Amino acid sequence: MSRRQFRLFSAAVTAAAALTAVTAGTAAAGGAQTAGAVAKNLTFSCEFPLIGSNQVTAAVAATFPDSVATGSPISVTDFSVGVNLNEDIVSALQLIGAATVEGSAAANVDVNYNDTELGVTLNGLAFPSTPVPASGGMAITITGPVPGLTVKKPGTVKFAVGSAFTGKITPRQADGTPTDLGTFDLPCTMDAGQDPALATVTIN
């Protein structure tokens, strides 16, 4: 791969701003074969204010084509991540007076193109204002568009969930104003011993 192709490929991957439960979709570009839905359940340890490290579960999913022709985009469709917050986290939100919570996220993604590792940070993920329940756990859904990625030479492109992501979280009171915590960063690291692989796409 020439230096110019490498830069273009890296830029295309980075532009795919949005990796973290995926539903079925279609990769329509020329050369694309039948799409396959991929689902992956993973756990992360996240550093919350006031209560420290807590485990969250994430159901990552997306639809990938099995193969594409060189010069055609790899279209990843219907990307989303379903995150479950445990009862302790919900109790902490209640203690600060949060009625809803909303936020954005940036996620690391591992991309391997013909055995060349490319570490990529995907920005632009978000989840809408979600009510804090009176009891029990809480589910939020993180989504974002994933633009197509085009590769110029034959080979394989492997996608995997990266080892970390960072959220920017805003809890709000019932009147819509932020709580005393304001907007805070939420660094999360994947727990050890898990298989983060998502899909391998063949470039014909």
Side-chain angles (χ1 to χ4, degrees), residues 7 21 23 34 37 41 58 99-100 106-107 109 113 125 131 134 137 143 176 182 187:
R7 287 199 303 267
T23 60
T34 303
N41 293 321
T100 63
V109 180
Y113 172 52
L125 303 173
T143 59

Side-chain angles (χ1 to χ4, degrees), residues 7 45 55 67 101 114 122 125-126 140 149 166 169 181 193:
R7 287 199 303 267
S45 292
Q55 189 179 77
S67 63
V101 63
N114 287 348
L122 299 178
L125 303 173
I140 61 175
L149 182 156
T166 301
I169 312 300
L181 283 180

